[in-house]
Each structure stands twice: as structure tokens, then as C-alpha cells.
Amino acid sequence: MKTVDATLAKSFGLNAEEYAKVLEIMGRTPSFTELGIFSVMWSEHCSYKSSRVWLKELPTKAPWVIHGPGENAGVIDIGEGMAAIFKMESHNHPSFIEPYQGAATGVGGILRDVFTMGARPIANLNALRFGDPALPVTKRVVDGVVRGIGGYGNCVGVPTVGGEVNFHPAYNGNPLVNAMTVGIAAQDKIFLSAAAGIGNPVVYVGSKTGRDGIHGATMASTEFDASSEEKRPTVQVGDPFTEKLLIEACLELMQTDAIVAIQDMGAAGLTSSSVEMAGKGGVGIELILDDVPQRETGMTAYEMMLSESQERMLLVLKPERAEMARAIIAKWDLDYAIIGHITDTGRIIVKHKGVVEADIPLDPLAEAAPLYRRPIAETPKPAPLGPVNSDMRLDEALLKLIASPDLCSRRWIFDQYDSTVGGQTVKRPAQADAAIVRLEGTNRALALTTDCTPRYCVADPEAGGAQAVVEAWRNITATGATPLAVTDNMNFGNPEKPEIMGQFAAAIKGMAAACTALDFPVVSGNVSLYNETEGKGILPTPAIGAVGVIEDASKAVGLALKPGHDLIVIGASKGELGRSLWLREILGQETGAPPAIDLAAERRNGDFVRAQILAGNVAACHDVSDGGLLVAVAEMALAGDTGAALTAPETSHAFWFGEEQARYVLAVQDGAKLLAAAKEAGIPAVQIGHADGAKSLTHSDTIAISLSQLREAHERFFPAWFAL
Amino acid sequence: MRTAILLFPGINRERDMAIAVRQSFGAEPKMVWHKETDLSGIDLVIIPGGFSFGDYLRCGAMAAQSPIMRAVKDHAARGGYVLGVCNGFQILTEAGLLPGALLRNAGLRFLSMDTMLRVERADTVFTSKWETGAIFRAPMAHGDGNYAADTATLDRLEGENLVAFRYADGNRNGAARDIAGIYSPNLRILGLMPHPEDLVDPLLGGTDGKPLFDSLAAA
């Protein structure tokens, strides 16, 4: 065994100062296993040491928040005694090294965070960012990630109902895979992780422990370089069948009163679950590793404590219920083992083969965890975009935009995901701005979306952070649902670089302002830093996953335009083209400032739109975002297979492709009535066209395009890419 | 119609199926764990979709060896009704209760989308609420739905009018002769790949799948 010293600590990811702190806490040289425990608990991934000081700036409270950040997932009141439990988490680093397993285990991990709290998972979403589609590696990563998400999600029987995909060369060496799970539970049946009851058995349930994923949390806390391929053994392998058994076994056990505390073994496996459970409960824990179910022979204490083998849970049970619990777990053919007990020592003591391999006081392990207020350098505010124009016809520009990788149909992807299992999916992918999933046995439904526009964030992280929140809020609003809360997945580069930390701090500031203004608290989240390869960082990507509720799911509206409807734009159109997709795809520029955020206008316009939808005055609704107004109208036309005659007097590219915020396109039976209601409410609204029954989009002499042309362009990219 | 829905580890559409059964039958189905051995008093056995045993060996191969399958075979031999959907269809072929096999989709990708199905005959307990030739919509969600059998078997299925449903809007998974579902010779066992149970509610996009359950309820 290697000598434990500062050099070894460094190779475990602990710097000199951190190792000195370990020595101080221990009062002696730590054992190899103890060093391993410190290094994973104090890794960026587990300790949030660079981000904690900023995360606390986010609003986390509202009357409907039951549990905010700090638990395995956020919990909100969704009415009728029910709670929605949800979180989004990244699996970026593993997904680059091994796309299929990286993405699959990302889905598995986030599912466990949710059902460990007592929720049946009812929906998965995923926010994906990939590199330049022209590179062969991008195709390989997209293929593996999509198969991995499908392979895991389809097998466990949780519908994958939504998400988003972007492409940008900044993700060439560092794709982002952010997976979100939403579950539901009875509010009086929510399970937490704080251990209690001196002498209570600590029980291991699930798959056996192997040598996979050792030090995965540390890997996720460093940059990539050419040697990253060597890190493949730190990627875990998923077993969705066992996960499905684990879900059913845990939910069955949760119907009894056997469980005192429960936590999944995620990043840093047995170490983080045991340390966190005992720490939160203010107790101690003793583990006897000889009793851990093992897949391989000869495993050491170090390996068992740091393994990230998947599909495992740690439970504290009432001793008198342990036998009943064992029988339920055995019914599902899963391993069950008592591997220790709760103590009053305030220490974690790990024994293996009669030897004490680790003996660490829990409070200092948690409280002395490093906390850095790293230097920040503010991103200079971008200069506004000067006058730009194009001679291209509007319809030609539309065709080009709607065929581009960032705007084309995602059908090829979501056709590989089971979106209907569970029998509650009211609006499937691409049918509405947010997926709608009903709560079984009720009329109530959740509206779910993920959003972020990284090209805005890189130009102005504060505006970009706010924009991610307002777009998520709009997407839920556009279905008629009331937005309730968000989970955030902060994907950034190396926090030791001041400009990256500056992006992070600014994004948080923008998010906090938007969440506050919209009563849209952050209840859970995840931070992924060091998203850099060969020193090149990704676009700052604060992905937002959001949940809303609609009391009567039959009132939810989708995108589909139908003949006879009038098209009304809510919100002021100003023609802001800075950082727009039009600018990038038509003029080849990524310049200017992103569209301004007006939080009061967002709130006002959104509340008006939602009230109109719930009053039954709106047949279809789509928020205006990537690609602007004309793209929004085209997407509605394609969804409903219904064309429109556009009548707005403007013919400028800025009007039709500007991406200013706080806007919606509504399809309504009675345009005059809606305009009158908007006028009375002081909401900007104009009619821009009418669905005349023709299968085309037309406008003066600038737009004449058939739906079949539009559809061909929109559907072309992915099938063509993968047909080769 | 006293109904049992079989639960194998890894099955995941049992809840969807129970909802459809409850709605059309007005009665609660009995959920039966795969290690049980008794199906007495049951008129209809339903094997729902999912990934029994993870589909790790061959879809349905492990489940076909479960203890409950002995009882299913006895039930079938007594002339009892059996409905297998998706993984349930795969299990029925692996158990030898229906001929042929479901291979990996021709494109080697999981396929999840609505498909149109043609009702090949409307004189069975499963299809009496449709007209022969009716076209209906059903979601499909499978990686292994490519129905295959030798030519003699396919000819016999067609000759004896045992094809239940065919894909009517394009054959995405490569199934022989566009076959989406088949009957046993006594017309009391039906296996099909798509999921009528996921389209029995207007709010979820339609009620195209409901006639299957209404037909059984009327039997």
C-alpha cells in the first residue's frame, strides 16, 4: 500500500492546504482509506467548495416549498395532499468518456435521488449540449448519449417527456448531459436521510459492490486532457433492470413503517451516503465492511468505501422491522445486508477483517470542508449589436433557420424515448411548450420543461441566467399551468479561473433576480465545474428544470394551429437580433448583447396569457424564443399541419427573427376579443395573421412557403446525419 | 371478465393496463406475481409490457420460465383468454403459446411513436367492437418488435386468418408481412406489439385503443 503523504493527497485531488487540515482534524497521519474518504467528501463534486458561497444567494422559499436544497431532491406542494419531488443532475464527464454508460447512469442516479424520498418517478427530462455536428466525435457522443438515456429510461418504465438539445463548438470536448427526474408522493409519506436511533441497523440494499467508479467524484472535479481516455474505468456501468427492482422494492418498503432514514449511494458511494446520513442526524455510524455484498473478491476497505457501483441504497431501519424489510427486499431478488449500526460517537468508524480502517469525527469532516470565495472577474458587458440586415428573402431565412441543428425537429431523438409508459402523458414531446403529465386518478397535471440559452450566457451571464429562468417560466405558462419551482444544473468551466467564477456569480445573480420576481424558488440543484478540455471551457450553461401545476389537465393547450384561428402576439416586439440564431445562421456572427430581460413584463404578460388559456379563450400557445416570431409561427403551423396568412405590416428580419423576451404567440378563435382583453389589461398585443386553411405560410411578397417544404427542412437534419 | 395482470420483475406497463381494464370492465384486475402458481377463477390473463428480467437474455425468454407460466399454459389449454402486449407478446412466443419470434427492430433503434393498425378480423373476443378493416392508432414503444417466423408459419397464419393486426402506415420495425399481432388457432390468445392500453382517454390523445377492452368486456 502506498505511503500516505501530501503527494498522495495531491493525486487524490487534495491540495497542500486541504491536506494540512486533514492532519489537523485527525491529529495523526490518516490511513489510506481515511484519505480516500476526505478526498471525495472534499471534492468539488461533493462539497460544492467553490460554489456554496454563491448558491446561497438563490431564493429557495415559498409557501408551497416543503423541502428546499439540502435534501436529495426538492419537494413542493402540488395540491390534493400530493408533493412533486424533483432534481436535475449532470453526468457530463462520464458521458464524454463513455457516452452510453455515462448518460444511462446519469438517468439512474437522478431517479434514485427522487425515489429515495418516497416518490414514484413519473417523468424524466434531459438537457443536452453537444459539440460541432461536423465532427465525427459529436455524432458518436450524440448517438451514445441518446441510446443511453433511452436504454435506461425505457427499461425502468419512466416516460422521457421533454428536454432540450443545443450544439456549439464550445462543447466539442465536453458535452453536457443534464438529467432531470420528477416524482410524486403523498405529502405525509416523504422520506429523509437524517439517521436516528442509537443501535439501529444500517442496511445495504441493491446491487453488489464492485470496483467500478472508484474516485468518480474526483474525476468529475478536474479538467480533461489527452489522458482522459485512461479514466474510463472510473465510469460506472448501469443496470436499469436492477434499478426498476430497487424502485419497486423501496416503494413497497415505504408503505410500511420500517424506514428511519434512507439515501441512495450516488457520487462517492458508501462514503457520502453514510457520512451524510450520520452527519445530518447528529449521530455516529459504524460500518462492518465484511458484510457488504461484493461482486469481486479481495476488495479493500478503500475500494468499498469509494466504489460508485450503481443501483445501491443505504437505509437505517427500526430493528423490530428489519426482518419484514428483508423479506420485501428478497421478494425483489435484491441484496439485503446489515452492514453496521448507528452510534452516539459522532464518528464514522469503518472496520474490515477485524481492523479499524477509518475512524473520523463527522462534524469536522463536514464543517471543515473547504469553502472558497474564489476571485472573480466580471464578464465585460457586450456592446449592443449595430444595425444588421440581410437581402435574403424572409422565407428563405426561415427555411435555413428551421433546418439548422439548433432549431430542427428533435423527433429522431424523442422517437427513441418511451414517452407514454405510465399512461398519464397528456402532452408528449413537441406537442406543447412544456410536457404535461397527469397525476394518476386526478384531473391535475404537472407541466415540465428544461431551458437555457448558453449563447446568451457567454455574452452576458447575468442576463443569460435570468433568461434561462424566464424561458422556463414562459414554457410552463404557455400550457396554462402555474409555474411553481425550479431545479438548477450549473455547468461551468474551471472555477479557479476568475473569469469562469465571474460567469458563475453573474449567472446566479440573474437567476436569483428572475426567481424572486416570478415567485419561482430554486428547490434543488447540482453544480458541475471543471467542464474544460485542454484548457478550453464550455459556454456557461445554467440549465433550469422547472415544474408547474394545472388543476384541470383538460385545459392545457399545445402548439397546434388549426384552421380559422387568429394569430396574436402578446408582448412588445422590438427587433433585438443580438446573439440571435438568425445572426449566427444567416450572417455567421455571434456578437452583440442578448435580448433585454424585463421581469415585470414577463410576469404581467405571462399572467395574462395563463388567465386567457384557463378561461378557454386560447386554442394554442407558443412562447417566442430561439429563432423569434416567424420560427414560433412555423412551429405552430407544423404542429397543427395548418398554414397561415401573415398580415403584420413589418417585413424586416429584425421583426420576424428578433428574440426579445416576454412574448407569446396565441392562436385564438376570436382575435378581436383577445385584443380587447389585452388592451383592457394594458398588455401589448397585435394580430399578426390568420390560419386561412391553406397548407402554406404567406406574407405579402416576402413569404410563400408550403408546409411540406417547411416540414422537409425541419425534419431533415437528424435522420440525414445518422443515415450515413 | 375476471382478469389477472401478471407481474414479472421488470414489467413496467402494468399500471397502464390496469387503468384500461378498470375503465372498460368496471372491475379491478388481480395483480399476480410471477412466482405464484394459481390462476383458478380467472377468465382473462394479461401479460403487460416492459422489460421482464431486463430483457437481458432475449426478450421474454426468462419470464417464459417463471412459475406462473405453467398456470398460464394450463389456463390456455382450458380455453382461457390470454392477452400479451409488447413484452407480453414476446413472452407468449418464448413460452410457445404463439408462433414466431420478435427480433431486434430493423433499424436497430428503439421506436417510440404512434402507429396505425388495421383490424384484420372483427369476429374475435378481442375485436368485436371494431369493423374488419378498421384502422386505429396505437402508441408503440419497443426495441424488439420485428415479427419473424418461417415462411410456412407465416403462410399458415395468413391462411388460417390468424393475423390480428397489421401496421397500416408503414412498417418501421421490419415485421414480416407487416404483422403487429397474431392469434392462437382457437382465437383465444392474442399477442401484439403496440399499446392500445395507452390510448383509452381523450385527454391523452384519443380512445383508439378502447375497443379492445370494450370487446373483451362484452365477451
Side-chain angles (χ1 to χ4, degrees):
Chain A
M1 190 146 288
K2 291 173 187 161
T3 311
V4 175
D5 57 17
T7 311
L8 183 68
K10 186 154 186 272
S11 75
F12 278 22
L14 291 171
N15 65 27
E17 189 190 340
E18 290 165 352
Y19 182 63
K21 213 181 271 180
V22 172
L23 291 177
E24 187 190 317
I25 290 170
M26 297 303 291
R28 58 175 167 79
T29 302
S31 71
F32 192 74
T33 303
E34 286 167 341
L35 184 68
I37 291 172
F38 273 101
S39 72
V40 292
M41 289 310 297
W42 289 3
S43 68
E44 188 68 59
H45 192 82
C46 291
S47 73
Y48 294 84
K49 58 192 170 192
S50 302
S51 59
R52 251 155 57 220
V53 295
W54 297 106
L55 294 174
K56 65 178 170 37
E57 312 272 313
L58 293 168
T60 59
K61 291 187 168 51
W64 52 90
V65 174
I66 299 173
H67 291 291
E71 290 300 333
N72 282 301
V75 183
I76 58 170
D77 181 349
I78 52 171
E80 298 187 38
M82 306 291 291
I85 301 184
F86 63 99
K87 186 178 174 183
M88 181 155 53
E89 196 164 78
S90 64
H91 233 213
N92 305 334
H93 296 83
S95 298
F96 179 60
I97 298 175
E98 213 298 279
Y100 184 98
Q101 291 298 344
T105 53
V107 175
I110 194 62
L111 280 164
R112 284 192 295 285
D113 275 334
V114 166
F115 73 74
T116 192
M117 297 194 74
R120 176 170 286 282
I122 61 162
N124 282 332
L125 297 92
N126 48 79
L128 311 176
R129 323 280 164 187
F130 299 114
D132 181 354
L135 298 180
V137 65
T138 303
K139 188 171 161 182
R140 181 183 72 86
V141 171
V142 170
D143 187 48
V145 165
V146 170
R147 283 181 192 273
I149 288 169
Y152 208 100
N154 298 341
C155 185
V156 295
V158 176
T160 301
V161 297
E164 55 179 336
V165 182
N166 293 154
F167 294 92
H168 194 280
Y171 303 106
N172 278 351
N174 204 124
L176 302 184
V177 174
N178 297 170
M180 173 174 171
T181 293
V182 183
I184 51 169
Q187 284 176 21
D188 58 1
K189 274 279 188 187
I190 290 166
F191 290 80
L192 303 179
S193 58
I198 308 309
N200 277 350
V202 174
V203 171
Y204 173 117
V205 169
S207 287
K208 290 179 167 49
T209 295
R211 289 192 171 94
D212 46 338
I214 291 173
H215 259 308
T218 311
M219 175 191 76
S221 306
T222 52
E223 291 180 32
F224 274 169
D225 54 32
S227 72
S228 297
E229 290 278 305
E230 291 168 17
K231 292 181 176 165
R232 194 167 288 148
T234 59
V235 178
Q236 313 88 342
V237 176
D239 176 358
F241 171 57
T242 297
E243 179 99 338
K244 170 68 173 165
L245 300 184
L246 203 51
I247 293 173
E248 299 302 333
C250 288
L251 293 179
E252 189 172 331
L253 188 54
M254 284 162 170
Q255 293 303 309
T256 74
D257 64 346
I259 299 174
V260 177
I262 178 167
Q263 165 128 352
D264 69 301
M265 294 190 223
L270 192 49
T271 291
S272 69
S273 53
S274 57
V275 166
E276 284 174 18
M277 290 177 82
K280 277 186 189 165
V283 294
I285 190 166
E286 181 168 322
L287 300 177
I288 310 293
L289 296 185
D290 307 74
D291 298 328
V292 169
Q294 293 160 51
R295 200 169 62 217
E296 301 169 52
T297 56
M299 288 188 72
T300 64
Y302 168 84
E303 289 170 332
M304 277 187 267
M305 289 306 289
L306 270 68
S307 163
E308 290 190 3
S309 290
Q310 299 288 292
E311 294 90 23
R312 303 179 300 161
M313 309 289 278
L314 198 63
L315 290 70
V316 176
L317 296 180
K318 293 178 184 167
E320 69 277 14
R321 293 283 185 268
E323 179 49 32
M324 178 194 65
R326 191 202 56 75
I328 289 174
I329 301 303
K331 172 192 159 186
W332 293 97
D333 296 326
L334 293 168
D335 271 302
Y336 169 102
I338 296 175
I339 62 163
H341 60 275
I342 298 302
T343 67
D344 61 0
T345 60
R347 304 178 76 84
I348 176 168
I349 296 175
V350 178
K351 294 180 178 169
H352 188 219
K353 295 180 175 170
V355 174
V356 175
E357 294 282 352
D359 181 353
I360 303 174
L362 287 166
D363 280 353
L365 179 58
E367 284 161 17
L371 181 62
Y372 297 128
R373 180 173 279 275
R374 297 193 187 275
I376 62 171
E378 279 185 31
T379 307
K381 287 284 174 194
L385 185 69
V388 287
N389 207 355
S390 165
D391 296 336
M392 199 180 275
R393 281 175 57 94
L394 285 175
D395 50 9
E396 205 181 320
L398 172 63
L399 270 183
K400 194 165 178 192
L401 273 168
I402 210 155
S404 70
D406 271 354
L407 276 178
C408 71
S409 166
R410 273 72 182 115
R411 185 177 310 282
W412 179 89
I413 294 174
F414 63 70
D415 275 359
Q416 298 182 57
Y417 300 155
D418 190 341
S419 58
T420 55
V421 61
Q424 302 299 331
T425 309
V426 177
K427 298 287 182 203
R428 301 186 205 169
Q431 290 185 342
D433 275 4
I436 304 286
V437 181
R438 191 174 55 183
L439 309 180
E440 189 178 332
T442 75
N443 292 324
R444 197 171 284 258
L446 298 182
L448 311 169
T449 183
T450 75
D451 289 288
C452 182
T453 312
R455 65 179 188 280
Y456 297 167
C457 298
V458 73
D460 183 342
E462 184 179 344
Q467 194 276 337
V469 173
V470 300
E471 187 176 346
W473 190 84
R474 276 203 309 270
N475 278 331
I476 287 174
T477 294
T479 65
T482 302
L484 291 178
V486 308
T487 179
D488 60 350
N489 202 150
M490 308 293 290
N491 308 274
F492 289 77
N494 182 346
E496 295 161 40
K497 296 180 182 169
E499 62 276 22
I500 300 292
M501 220 46 232
Q503 291 174 341
F504 190 91
I508 292 275
K509 192 175 172 198
M511 288 163 58
C515 288
T516 302
L518 300 173
D519 288 322
F520 205 27
V522 179
V523 296
S524 61
N526 170 242
V527 177
S528 173
L529 301 176
Y530 296 98
N531 287 291
E532 303 206 354
T533 297
E534 307 286 358
K536 277 188 279 187
I538 57 164
L539 302 185
T541 310
I544 298 294
V547 175
V549 70
I550 184 164
E551 280 178 36
D552 180 353
S554 69
K555 290 186 172 169
V557 300
L559 298 181
L561 184 62
K562 288 296 169 199
H565 293 163
D566 292 332
L567 286 166
I568 308 285
V569 176
I570 298 295
S573 298
K574 302 168 196 157
E576 295 182 56
L577 286 169
R579 299 286 163 170
S580 68
L581 282 179
W582 177 88
L583 188 65
R584 192 180 85 192
E585 298 297 324
I586 306 300
L587 296 191
Q589 295 178 28
E590 297 182 57
T591 52
I597 304 292
D598 179 343
L599 295 170
E602 288 286 355
R603 176 103 208 201
R604 219 165 35 236
N605 297 355
D607 287 348
F608 174 78
V609 167
R610 189 180 319 104
Q612 292 297 317
I613 293 171
L614 294 178
N617 297 333
V618 178
C621 180
H622 192 7
D623 91 307
V624 180
S625 53
D626 287 346
L629 200 47
L630 191 54
V631 167
V633 170
E635 287 171 344
M636 295 174 80
L638 287 173
D641 197 26
T642 298
L646 299 173
T647 52
E650 287 83 355
T651 56
S652 71
H653 285 253
F655 177 80
W656 289 105
F657 298 113
E659 295 182 2
E660 48 285 19
Q661 304 288 299
R663 292 187 301 162
Y664 302 80
V665 181
L666 274 53
V668 300
Q669 297 281 359
D670 186 343
K673 183 179 158 193
L674 197 109
L675 290 173
K679 190 170 180 192
E680 193 177 320
I683 302 291
V686 288
Q687 180 162 351
I688 57 160
H690 176 75
D692 56 1
K695 297 276 187 190
S696 57
L697 285 183
T698 53
H699 185 285
S700 58
D701 59 354
T702 61
I703 302 174
I705 187 166
S706 73
L707 288 187
S708 59
Q709 264 179 297
L710 205 53
R711 192 177 305 284
E712 193 281 322
H714 191 46
E715 298 287 346
R716 182 194 314 140
F717 172 72
F718 279 102
W721 196 23
F722 283 92
L724 300 174
Chain B
M1 185 78 66
R2 288 162 301 178
T3 306
I5 296 179
L6 304 192
L7 299 179
F8 298 88
I11 286 294
N12 63 29
R13 263 185 165 82
E14 74 279 7
R15 299 151 66 82
D16 317 37
M17 192 62 83
I19 291 166
V21 166
R22 217 175 278 137
Q23 176 180 293
S24 286
F25 295 18
E28 196 64 25
K30 185 179 177 194
M31 309 306 267
V32 177
W33 185 237
H34 75 118
K35 286 181 181 168
E36 294 182 29
T37 54
D38 182 19
L39 288 169
S40 55
I42 296 295
D43 303 309
L44 168 65
V45 172
I46 300 181
I47 311 181
F51 289 70
S52 58
F53 297 94
D55 280 355
Y56 286 167
L57 175 58
R58 202 170 56 238
C59 301
M62 300 273 284
Q65 306 303 320
S66 270
I68 193 65
M69 289 309 292
R70 170 50 46 201
V72 173
K73 285 175 183 170
D74 292 345
H75 169 84
R78 287 194 300 270
Y81 300 122
V82 182
L83 170 64
V85 175
C86 199
N87 201 208
F89 184 16
Q90 294 162 343
I91 293 168
L92 290 176
T93 62
E94 287 287 344
L97 288 167
L98 290 173
L102 283 309
L103 307 182
R104 189 60 48 95
N105 292 342
L108 303 180
R109 287 186 190 276
F110 193 92
L111 295 171
S112 171
M113 67 272 293
D114 281 354
T115 182
M116 304 305 289
L117 298 180
R118 186 169 64 246
V119 178
E120 294 295 305
R121 57 188 294 180
D123 60 346
T124 76
V125 294
F126 298 97
T127 55
S128 62
K129 296 287 179 185
W130 276 300
E131 302 290 328
T132 297
I135 307 273
F136 70 101
R137 194 155 58 91
M140 65 183 210
H142 58 246
D144 302 75
N146 178 356
Y147 184 74
D150 58 47
T151 305
T153 302
L154 293 170
D155 289 346
R156 180 179 64 77
L157 285 171
E158 292 189 323
E160 295 176 16
N161 201 8
L162 297 179
V163 175
F165 306 107
R166 285 185 215 264
Y167 298 107
D169 64 338
N171 178 340
R172 297 175 177 86
N173 57 25
R177 304 187 191 180
D178 300 339
I179 290 173
I182 56 171
Y183 294 111
S184 61
N186 69 358
L187 302 175
R188 285 167 176 255
I189 304 177
L190 167 64
L192 77 160
M193 285 311 300
H195 294 280
E197 75 275 18
D198 278 323
L199 215 49
V200 295
D201 183 341
L203 189 56
L204 303 193
T207 55
D208 277 43
K210 198 164 176 287
L212 174 70
F213 300 94
D214 288 346
S215 300
L216 284 164

